Amino acid sequence: MKTVTQSIQIREERSNIVYSAPFTVYLWENSVEMYDGLRRPLIIICPGGGFRCTSDREADTIATQFLAMGYHAAVLRYSVAPACCPTALFQLAQAVQIIREHSEEWYIDTNRILVLGCSAGGHLAASLACFWNEPFIADALKTSPDMIRPNGQILCYPVITTGEFRHEGSFHNMLGNTDCAALREKLSLEHQVTAFTPPAFIWNTYTDQSVPAENSILYMQALRAHNISVEYHLFSIGKHGIATATKVSQCKDGHGVQKECAFWLPMVQNWIENL
């Protein structure tokens, strides 16, 4: 069997400016010899980068791990500063819509279309998980909420709160000249979980100095309060942004390898299999 790649440009116009987000979809081809008609989960990956960039280390390197599990994967290079909220959110919603529209052609399990985000990308993924059924997204995209609904969320050391434990740089870049108290409250996602928020798999590290573990803990507590299924792992050691935590995604200086944290990949596979 082999994989095929679909390269798509997602365009979003805000204030008469058109922002383009490259969306790369990696698909296992159907095999009449092995698993004719097998529908596979698909994971849409939103790399981190503080809404200043989208990190290479948290993009295709993670996608290849899910391909190795036998899943489809996709990477969204969403728009960052000077693009402001909700540009990236609308782009991610469009990405989910594209996947659902092509689910028959691409042999996708429509009950397991998942959004994954690292760091600031975690805030983006969790935002769609919280807001997918709010009219402002579906109305803007001229679609229905069900077409942009993620079935689950995978959050790797995510930015969540605009409160005490916030990562200020991410919100400064995300909001730009739209920054205000009301919008910051809306984007503090521990306050936005509802009964419609999908299940979550979350992990981070105790020693993360950039995005404190409290971001994940606050969100996990909100999910529990709304009886939303959540699996949460707090690893005792590991810097921020370690992606796969293996040599696959290490920096040129060797940063990013943390064998203790690499277990998140087999654990998330088990979680996906049981969704």
Side-chain angles (χ1 to χ4, degrees):
M1 291 182 68
K2 62 178 182 178
T3 58
V4 295
T5 304
Q6 301 285 341
S7 297
I8 302 164
Q9 290 291 326
I10 294 177
R11 295 164 61 85
E12 176 62 28
E13 183 173 346
R14 308 295 302 171
S15 302
N16 297 318
I17 301 174
V18 177
Y19 295 99
S20 185
F23 184 46
T24 306
V25 185
Y26 301 99
L27 300 163
W28 283 100
E29 280 195 327
N30 184 52
S31 171
V32 295
E33 178 186 352
M34 295 175 63
Y35 303 108
D36 190 18
L38 176 66
R39 292 177 174 270
R40 303 172 187 268
L42 186 142
I43 295 86
I44 300 174
I45 297 158
C46 302
F51 289 103
R52 177 183 53 83
C53 65
T54 54
S55 169
D56 291 341
R57 296 177 54 255
E58 296 166 340
D60 297 77
T61 55
I62 293 178
T64 58
Q65 305 305 301
F66 285 106
L67 286 170
M69 296 175 191
Y71 305 151
H72 303 304
V75 176
L76 178 66
R77 297 282 191 162
Y78 55 90
S79 295
V80 298
C84 296
C85 179
T87 302
L89 177 59
F90 285 178
Q91 290 170 340
L92 178 56
Q94 287 183 66
V96 174
Q97 181 180 359
I98 289 167
I99 295 304
R100 290 201 178 279
E101 288 173 344
H102 290 275
S103 60
E104 290 288 328
E105 174 189 357
W106 292 345
Y107 296 94
I108 292 167
D109 180 351
T110 55
N111 292 316
R112 288 188 288 179
I113 296 172
L114 313 174
V115 289
L116 179 154
C118 300
S119 192
H123 189 279
L124 177 57
S127 291
L128 185 62
C130 288
F131 300 139
W132 66 269
N133 66 330
E134 292 201 6
F136 78 94
I137 305 179
D139 289 352
L141 300 183
K142 297 180 173 58
T143 189
S144 67
D146 282 344
M147 289 299 293
I148 61 174
R149 176 176 60 89
N151 299 108
Q153 50 184 320
I154 302 167
L155 308 180
C156 309
Y157 41 88
V159 172
I160 293 293
T161 185
T162 61
E164 177 184 357
F165 300 103
R166 67 186 177 276
H167 184 258
E168 182 57 35
S170 291
F171 292 105
H172 174 78
N173 291 329
M174 186 198 320
L175 294 171
N177 58 16
T178 67
D179 200 343
C180 65
L183 191 50
R184 284 196 171 229
E185 177 60 25
K186 181 75 171 178
L187 294 176
S188 204
L189 299 179
E190 74 273 27
H191 302 311
Q192 304 305 330
V193 174
T194 71
F196 300 101
T197 304
F201 179 98
I202 310 170
W203 73 274
N204 59 3
T205 68
Y206 185 84
T207 55
D208 189 330
Q209 298 297 312
S210 298
V211 180
E214 281 81 0
N215 280 263
S216 296
I217 293 169
L218 288 167
Y219 193 60
M220 179 267 293
Q221 290 174 331
L223 291 165
R224 276 189 57 80
H226 286 81
N227 200 32
I228 305 298
S229 175
V230 55
E231 181 171 332
Y232 174 54
H233 299 277
L234 177 62
F235 295 99
S236 61
I237 190 170
K239 293 182 179 180
H240 185 72
I242 55 179
T244 66
T246 68
K247 290 183 178 180
V248 172
S249 55
Q250 72 177 7
C251 294
K252 61 183 179 181
D253 63 1
H255 167 70
V257 178
Q258 194 71 57
K259 62 181 181 180
E260 297 89 344
C261 300
F263 288 104
W264 81 268
L265 284 163
M267 288 191 294
V268 79
Q269 181 179 12
N270 183 69
W271 178 79
I272 292 169
E273 290 298 314
N274 287 286
L275 270 181

